Amino acid sequence: MKEISCKLLVIGAGPGGYVCAIRAGQLGVDTVIVEAGKPGGTCLNVGCIPSKALIHAAEEYEKIRQMAEGRSPLGISLQAPPSLDLAATIAWKDGIVGRLNSGVSGLLRKARVKIVQGRAAFRDGKTVEVQTETGMQVIRAEMVVIATGSKPVELPFLPFGGPVISSTEALSLTTLPKRLVVVGGGYIGLELGTAFAKLGSEVTVVEATDQVLPQYDGELVRPVQKRLQQLGVRVLTGAKAKGLSGQGEALLVETEDGKEHKLQADKILVTVGRRPNTDMAGLDGLDLDRSGAFLRIDDQCRTSMRGVFAIGDVTGEPMLAHRAMAQGEMVAEIASGLKRGWDKRCIPAVCFTDPEILSAGLSPDEARRNGLEVRVGQFPFSANGRAMTMLAEDGFVRVVARADNNVVLGLQAVGAGVSELASAFALAIEMGARVEDIAATVHAHPTRGEALQEAALKALGHALHI
Ligand code: FAD
Ligand code: NAD
C-alpha cells in the first residue's frame, strides 16, 4: 500500500474537477486528482462534446438529404440520395473525444498535478483510498474537492438494458434505430431526438409536462416545436411512460385524457434528468448536508464539513459544464489562499436544438416574479439580412431590462446558431450593461448578432430595421 500527502485532493476529472486541479497547479498548490474513468468526465466523454458532434453530423446529413430530395431553396440538387455510415460517424466522434482526453491529461501534467487512476473511497474527511492498477493508494489531503458529477436517472419501471438506453448508449449506436421513442422532452431528449430524426429515425417524444423544454418560456420554445413538426417528430405532452409491453417491443404510455398508447420502438431513450454521483464509498460516513439528493454548498462551494468542498453536477442545478468549471476555478483560488466567493451575475444556458435556444439572466416572467418592473425589446431574425441569407429566419433576440434604469437583467434568443451569442449575452450582464450600452455598440454587418443591438434599440423605442 502506497501513501501520499497533498494540499488539495480533487475527486473526479470532469470539467469541474480538472479545471479546479489545473488552476490549483498553476497557483503552486500541491494537487492530486483521482479519476475512475477517462479525463474530461461526462462532458467530454458522453455529454457535451459527443452530443454536439452527433448533432453536427445530423445537420449536415439533413441538409444534403434536402438537396437530394429537391427541397433545397438554394437551387442546389444532388442526383443520388446520400447514405449514412453511422459507425463511421461514431468513429469520427470518438476521435475527437480521444484527442480531448489526451489534451486534458496534458494540461494537468503541465500544471504539475499528480493524476491517480481509480475509484476513490473516503476513509475520513481528509483521507481517501484508491484501488489502482498497481495496488491500493492512500491519499491524505488538507482539503478535498468532491467533483464526482452525475448520472442518468433510471425509471424503476423502465430500467436501462436491452432496448432501453440512456444518452451514453445513444451516443455510441452504430446502427440507426428505425423507431426511437424518447422519454423526457428536456435538454438531452430534444437535442438527441432531433439529431436522430435528421439522421432518419422515426422519433416520438414523450414528455410528462404540458410543453417540451418546460424550463423555457413558450415563446422561446415555439420555433423548436415548429421545427420538430417539420422533421416529422411526434410529440406527446402531458404523457407518462408506464413501462414496456409484454415482449419489450413497445412502450406503454398514458396521455392526459386517460388514453393508453402503445408506441412501437426499436430503442427507448430515457432522458428524465440526472442524479448526483453520491454513492461513493465512505461518503455517507461524512454525513454532509444535502439539498435534496445533491450536496449542499455555500457561496464558496464549501460543504458542511470543514475542508471539504463540492463542485459541479454533484451540487445540483444548473448541471452545466461551464458552471462546474467556474466553480472549480474559484475553489482552486480559495485553496491557494485567495479571497473568492461566487459573485457571478448569470450562467448562460444553451439548448442545442433546432433552432438553438439561449438564455442568460432573467426572462420577463422571472423578473416580474421577483417584483421588478421591466422593459422588454424583441427583434425577429426575419428582419435580419444575414439570417435571410442563411435560411435562418425563425426566432428572435429578446432583451429584458429594469424599467427604472435600463440595466440589463436578461437576454434570450432562439434561432440558428444563437449559441455563439452566449459570450455577448453573458458579458453584457456580467459587466452590468444598460440597454443603451448594447444599442450604442457598433455591431458588424451583416451578422445575426445585429439582432441583439436591434432588440436593445427596440427596448428604447427606436429600432431601425423593423
Ligand atoms: P462529470 O463531468 O460528471 O465528471 C465527474 C467525474 O468524476 C467522472 O469522470 C467520473 O468518472 C468521476 N468520478 C465519479 N465518482 C468517482 C470516484 N469515486 N472516484 C474517482 N472518480 C470519480 N452541459 C453543458 O454545459 N453544455 C452541453 O452542451 C451539455 N451537453 C450534455 C449532453 C449530454 C448527453 C449530457 C449527459 C450532459 C450534457 N451537459 C452539458 C452536462 C455536462 O456534461 C455536465 O454538467 C458536466 O459534465 C458536469 O461536470 P462535473 O465535473 O460536475 O461532473
Ligand atoms: P431535463 O431536466 O432537461 O429534462 C427532463 C425532462 O423529462 C423534463 O422535461 C421532465 O418534465 C421530463 N420527465 C421527467 N420524468 C418524466 C417521465 N416519467 N415521463 C416523461 N417525461 C418525464 O433532463 P435531461 O434532458 O436528462 O438533462 C439532464 C441535465 O443535463 C440537464 O439538467 C442539463 O442541465 C444537462 N444538459 C445540458 C445540455 C446543454 O447545456 N445543452 C445538454 C444536455 C444536458
Side-chain angles (χ1 to χ4, degrees):
M1 189 168 64
K2 282 183 280 180
E3 279 202 28
I4 52 171
S5 297
C6 61
K7 182 156 180 191
L8 184 69
L9 168 64
V10 182
I11 304 171
Y18 83 70
V19 165
C20 182
I22 290 172
R23 184 68 188 123
Q26 287 174 345
L27 290 163
V29 178
D30 173 22
T31 305
V32 174
I33 191 164
V34 188
E35 171 56 52
K38 288 189 182 164
T42 303
C43 165
L44 200 164
N45 294 289
V46 291
C48 321
I49 299 296
S51 60
K52 269 76 246 181
L54 193 69
I55 288 167
H56 178 67
E59 277 168 2
E60 296 294 295
Y61 186 64
E62 149 74 8
K63 268 188 223 154
I64 296 168
R65 220 168 47 166
Q66 258 193 14
M67 292 170 187
E69 289 168 7
R71 293 188 285 122
S72 168
L74 303 179
I76 305 172
S77 63
L78 290 175
Q79 296 314 311
S83 65
L84 176 75
D85 178 353
L86 189 58
T89 311
I90 296 300
W92 164 74
K93 177 268 291 181
D94 288 342
I96 297 170
V97 170
R99 269 164 56 203
L100 290 170
N101 284 145
S102 318
V104 170
S105 303
L107 292 170
L108 286 166
R109 276 195 297 272
K110 188 173 147 210
R112 290 180 296 281
V113 174
K114 181 172 170 51
I115 307 169
V116 176
Q117 179 73 42
R119 186 162 292 279
F122 275 110
R123 247 191 212 176
D124 58 48
K126 294 199 181 309
T127 322
V128 152
E129 293 175 356
V130 187
Q131 191 62 55
T132 69
E133 267 188 0
T134 52
M136 176 72 84
Q137 172 106 59
V138 175
I139 307 165
R140 292 182 200 287
E142 286 173 36
M143 287 168 281
V144 178
V145 181
I146 303 171
T148 50
S150 64
K151 58 174 156 242
V153 166
E154 188 169 31
L155 293 171
F157 49 86
L158 218 50
F160 294 124
V164 183
I165 58 173
S166 74
S167 54
T168 299
E169 292 77 42
L171 289 167
S172 285
L173 291 175
T174 47
T175 51
L176 197 67
K178 189 170 172 317
R179 293 156 309 183
L180 176 71
V181 175
V182 179
V183 180
Y187 272 90
I188 302 180
L190 285 201
E191 287 188 4
L192 295 187
T194 304
F196 278 101
K198 289 180 178 176
L199 293 172
S201 297
E202 283 167 31
V203 177
T204 305
V205 176
V206 176
E207 164 58 40
T209 67
D210 59 5
Q211 178 195 287
V212 287
L213 295 174
Q215 49 274 76
Y216 292 110
D217 62 73
E219 229 180 335
L220 282 171
V221 176
R222 215 156 291 132
V224 175
Q225 290 164 325
K226 183 177 147 198
R227 183 73 176 122
L228 287 171
Q229 206 172 3
Q230 281 171 358
L231 289 167
V233 175
R234 184 175 174 209
V235 177
L236 298 175
T237 50
K240 286 200 184 87
K242 293 286 192 190
L244 289 180
S245 71
Q247 280 73 44
E249 79 297 344
L251 179 74
L252 301 174
V253 172
E254 190 182 302
T255 41
E256 256 169 344
D257 50 13
K259 281 194 187 140
E260 196 159 279
H261 304 254
K262 197 171 173 182
L263 305 176
Q264 299 294 326
D266 301 298
K267 292 281 181 219
I268 296 161
L269 169 59
V270 179
T271 54
V272 294
R274 293 179 62 82
R275 63 191 180 88
N277 277 327
T278 45
D279 46 10
M280 177 182 167
L283 184 61
D284 280 348
L286 304 190
D287 201 22
L288 302 177
D289 284 357
R290 307 284 172 120
S291 174
F294 298 94
L295 297 181
R296 184 192 291 280
I297 49 165
D298 66 9
D299 66 356
Q300 289 189 314
C301 290
R302 291 180 194 273
T303 66
S304 52
M305 180 179 262
R306 210 184 160 91
V308 179
F309 296 80
I311 57 174
D313 283 12
V314 76
T315 65
E317 294 282 0
M319 287 191 261
L320 298 172
H322 42 281
R323 169 196 180 241
M325 292 191 217
Q327 289 179 321
E329 189 201 23
M330 177 186 79
V331 167
E333 296 192 352
I334 292 169
S336 78
L338 294 170
K339 271 205 163 55
R340 286 287 312 270
W342 187 261
D343 57 0
K344 310 295 181 197
R345 291 191 180 203
C346 74
I347 301 170
V350 176
C351 189
F352 292 84
T353 38
D354 182 3
E356 294 170 349
I357 298 178
L358 163 64
S359 178
L362 301 178
S363 70
D365 285 347
E366 285 166 341
R368 288 186 193 111
R369 276 202 295 276
N370 284 335
L372 295 161
E373 208 179 310
V374 293
R375 187 185 300 286
V376 178
Q378 189 163 313
F379 187 83
F381 283 115
S382 56
N384 173 280
R386 181 66 172 153
M388 286 182 204
T389 65
M390 300 183 78
L391 296 175
E393 292 182 42
D394 259 2
F396 58 84
V397 174
R398 184 169 72 193
V399 176
V400 185
R402 283 178 65 126
D404 55 354
N405 59 11
N406 287 348
V407 168
V408 177
L409 298 168
L411 290 160
Q412 294 87 37
V414 54
V418 294
S419 54
E420 292 302 330
L421 291 177
S423 322
F425 281 21
L427 193 63
I429 294 176
E430 201 58 49
M431 296 192 73
R434 287 169 198 259
V435 179
E436 291 86 340
D437 297 317
I438 299 176
T441 302
V442 179
H443 284 63
H445 177 76
T447 60
R448 283 179 277 181
E450 287 172 279
L452 171 59
Q453 184 183 20
E454 287 285 356
L457 287 166
K458 185 93 184 294
L460 295 171
H462 50 90
L464 291 166
H465 290 90
I466 197 159

